Structures are given as structure tokens and as C-alpha cells.
Amino acid sequence: GAVVSQHPSRVICKSGTSVKIECRSLDFQATTMFWYRQFPKKSLMLMATSNEGSKATYEQGVEKDKFLINHASLTLSTLTVTSAHPEDSSFYICSAIGLAGGLGYNEQFFGPGTRLTVL
Amino acid sequence: AQSVTQPDIHITVSEGASLELRCNYSYGATPYLFWYVQSPGQGLQLLLKYFSGDTLVQGIKGFEAEFKRSQSSFNLRKPSVHWSDAAEYFCAVGEYGNKLVFGAGTILRVKS
């Protein structure tokens, strides 16, 4: 099956620093990757859609200068939380879809998530 | 805009009992519907999906779901729950651009 990895799985940083989270599709090429944020006891909220070789599309209310997304290759997308603050602490999950669809909708494969804690 | 409602925040069932998790959606056209499961601190695993055809969909781990257009529902069922099924379950609808809109989730507790 399609496997998506995230690194790191857990990160703790000081307020004001930047943190980079990697999302990799291990056995398929991902034309599109999605970044979600999940608050405790809450659902997943889509932050942005990342297409290989182009700028990410951010959802309304998400600060693009705060959450920098780069999708430089068909197997890697990165999310950088810049000048992190405690309110950025959350569980960040990425997903990826492959090149082939076939049914008009492409299934997303999810990474295991990254727990960010900003002190 | 699409929306997904999962009316039950928490559900507790006894091991071996049957389970039904409710999901209602709001979508203008024929929806693509999904159920995912998330264990604590983990990502999401797809249980099953409905795109078209037979309205009763079989998934992994003994789960099934039934699409009822008249009720705008896609409820998840399992005839006999195991302790390992304790997790959070999310219903989702697919929308344009391959995006997913998730419900708020239902936390399942299994008591022995």
C-alpha cells in the first residue's frame, strides 16, 4: 500500500524558533500533498494544499507567512512553522495523493503526524 | 460548502456488542464518503470508502457502512466490537480538488 512518513514524530522547541516538518511519500509519487492541523479533542482542519513545483494554496484564516510550505519534489513536502509560539502547539498531519486517479477522486494517504510543542 | 456531522462525541460499548457510529453530510452532488480511524497520537487509517454503486460498503477490520441518500447519512457499523477497536473515528466527505472535509469525530470506548 501507499506509505507516507513524517519527520520528526515529536518536536519541542522554544518560542520564537522555527521548526520544519517533513512529509514523504515512500512508495509512490505524490502530485499533491495536504497539511492538516489537529487541536486536542478536535477534528482535522485543512491548512493548505501543496502541489509539486508550485506555490501552496492556503485555506482561509491560515497565515501563509507563518506556515511555509514547500513541495520541491514528487515525494517530499515540508511545513515550516516560523517564529513559533505556544499557540502553534498542535498535532500536524500530512497526506498525499498519487498520480493516478481513475474514479474522479483520489484517495489521500496519511502520515502518522507530528506533535509540536512550543514552550 | 460541504459539512459533516457526527452527532456523538463519545460512545461506550461493551466488548462483543454491536456498534453504530452516525454520520450525516451536506453535499450538493453525489458524495465521496470516507470513514477513518485514528489511534491516540497516530495518523489516520482508512476503514472504508463509498464512491458509487452498492450502497453497503465493506471495509477493513470487519467494519461496514451504508450510504443512504434520502437521509444524507453514512453510518458505520460493526456487529461485534473488540477492545482493540477503541479509538477515534472520523467521517469525511470528499470535495473538489480532492480535499476532505472531516466531521468532529467520535471517540469509541470499549468496556470489558
Side-chain angles (χ1 to χ4, degrees), chain B residues 2 6 9 19 22-23 27-28 31 33 46-49 54 64 70 80-81 88 93-94 97:
Chain B
Q2 284 66 250
Q6 292 180 246
I9 299 174
L19 170 70
R22 296 184 290 165
C23 173
Y27 192 70
L33 295 163
L46 179 68
L47 286 175
L48 47 79
K49 60 189 176 188
D54 193 344
E64 67 177 27
S70 62
S80 178
V81 169
E88 188 160 16
V93 62

Side-chain angles (χ1 to χ4, degrees), chain B residues 34-106:
Chain B
F34 305 81
W35 273 101
Y36 289 89
V37 60
Q38 184 182 34
S39 297
Q42 302 296 313
L44 275 73
Q45 181 181 24
L46 179 68
L47 286 175
L48 47 79
K49 60 189 176 188
Y50 171 79
F51 282 4
S52 65
D54 193 344
T55 56
L56 185 62
V57 180
Q58 302 297 320
I60 62 171
K61 304 184 179 186
F63 286 93
E64 67 177 27
E66 186 170 13
F67 169 57
K68 293 185 177 180
R69 184 187 300 276
S70 62
Q71 298 176 20
S72 298
S73 69
F74 189 57
N75 294 348
L76 181 71
R77 301 193 293 249
K78 186 169 184 177
S80 178
V81 169
H82 188 263
W83 64 266
S84 60
D85 293 324
E88 188 160 16
Y89 292 80
F90 292 96
C91 181
V93 62
E95 62 173 20
Y96 179 77
N98 298 302
K99 294 182 182 181
L100 286 172
V101 175
F102 287 89
T106 298

Side-chain angles (χ1 to χ4, degrees), chain A residues 58 63-70 78-82:
Chain A
Y58 291 81
E63 300 175 61
K64 59 182 67 175
D65 294 331
K66 173 77 167 173
F67 299 99
L68 300 179
I69 292 172
N70 183 278
T78 60
L79 167 67
T80 301
V81 183
T82 62

